[in-house]
Amino acid sequence: VSCSSASKGFTSLSEEQKEVLAYLPRDIVISHRGTTYWAPEETEAAMRWARNTGGDYLECDIQRTKDGYLLALHDEDLQRTTDVAEKFPERKDAPVSEFTLEELLTLDAGSWFNKACPERARKGFSGLDILTLEDVIRIAEGNRILRDSTGKRLYRKENGKIIMQYEKDPADNGNRPGIYPETKEPRLFPGI
């Protein structure tokens, strides 16, 4: 028990906490935003790479779109990791919460990495999408995003809701990491 928890009235672990500690491995790998060294952070490439290299958990930062979808995105705005300044120049400084999911799906969330890290650049990183929390979960389960022959993400709309489409990932090696979500900027998302 740490000094800070003891000062709050906690003196020992509960039986449930002891059970959890008993089955957790001593050393775990938490893949921060997927793999931020080898691929653009919090993209499909980063999450699939982290899953297939044995990550125990896929860490992702959670924010909410204007229309209520949960995203895996670190920054409050979109300038560092997308082409928002080109697609929505008048809103380039706006927080993620002022965009709908369909607007966000038009952004390129991978090309910045190729410019910032030319020694690790890959053609396939250009045009990557911003991920939803559902995408991260599906990737952890061994799937990948379903795309058309040009690489464009496929989804459909039912009753005004966007339904993402997935397929089994042929590169999946069977590793099933957990998800380690971190709520970003909760003040922007009451009730998140």
Side-chain angles (χ1 to χ4, degrees):
V1 176
S2 70
C3 292
S4 61
S5 62
S7 67
K8 295 176 185 171
F10 301 108
T11 57
S12 64
L13 296 175
S14 71
E15 289 306 311
E16 292 83 10
Q17 290 169 323
K18 290 177 185 176
E19 286 178 32
V20 169
L21 287 175
Y23 73 77
L24 285 176
R26 298 284 283 159
D27 299 310
I28 59 173
V29 174
I30 298 174
S31 301
H32 187 245
R33 301 181 207 159
T35 175
T36 58
Y37 183 80
W38 292 111
E41 65 187 63
E42 297 195 280
T43 62
E44 181 180 22
M47 294 299 178
R48 288 174 62 207
W49 200 318
R51 179 197 67 208
N52 286 349
T53 57
D56 295 305
Y57 290 91
L58 301 178
E59 186 269 349
C60 59
D61 303 293
I62 304 299
Q63 296 193 54
R64 189 172 58 211
T65 65
K66 183 178 183 177
D67 48 349
Y69 294 91
L70 296 179
L71 296 179
L73 192 71
H74 180 268
D75 298 0
E76 184 177 327
D77 68 51
L78 300 153
Q79 289 192 71
R80 183 177 65 86
T81 59
T82 75
D83 59 347
V84 70
E86 295 163 28
K87 300 254 175 76
F88 301 99
E90 69 289 349
R91 295 170 35 194
K92 68 179 182 175
D93 297 318
V96 173
S97 59
E98 292 185 16
F99 291 85
T100 66
L101 180 58
E102 280 192 295
E103 288 173 324
L104 293 168
L105 290 176
T106 69
L107 298 177
D108 178 342
S111 291
W112 71 270
F113 183 88
N114 289 343
K115 292 174 193 161
C117 308
E119 69 283 1
R120 294 185 299 278
R122 291 176 179 243
K123 183 180 175 187
F125 293 160
S126 296
L128 288 173
D129 314 302
I130 291 174
L131 295 182
T132 65
L133 177 58
E134 179 185 6
D135 294 336
V136 176
I137 293 168
R138 294 297 192 98
I139 291 167
E141 294 173 337
N143 299 295
R144 69 178 182 186
I145 295 169
L146 185 62
R147 300 180 182 280
D148 68 15
S149 61
T150 68
K152 185 176 183 326
R153 175 185 202 129
L154 295 175
Y155 62 89
R156 63 184 192 282
K157 288 180 108 175
E158 287 182 15
N159 302 319
K161 292 280 188 190
I162 295 173
I163 310 296
M164 299 301 186
Q165 296 184 294
Y166 305 94
E167 64 183 352
K168 288 305 285 174
D169 186 347
D172 175 42
N173 65 4
N175 184 42
R176 294 294 175 266
I179 306 297
Y180 191 102
E182 176 185 344
T183 306
K184 284 291 183 185
E185 310 302 336
R187 65 181 162 63
L188 296 175
F189 315 110
I192 195 168

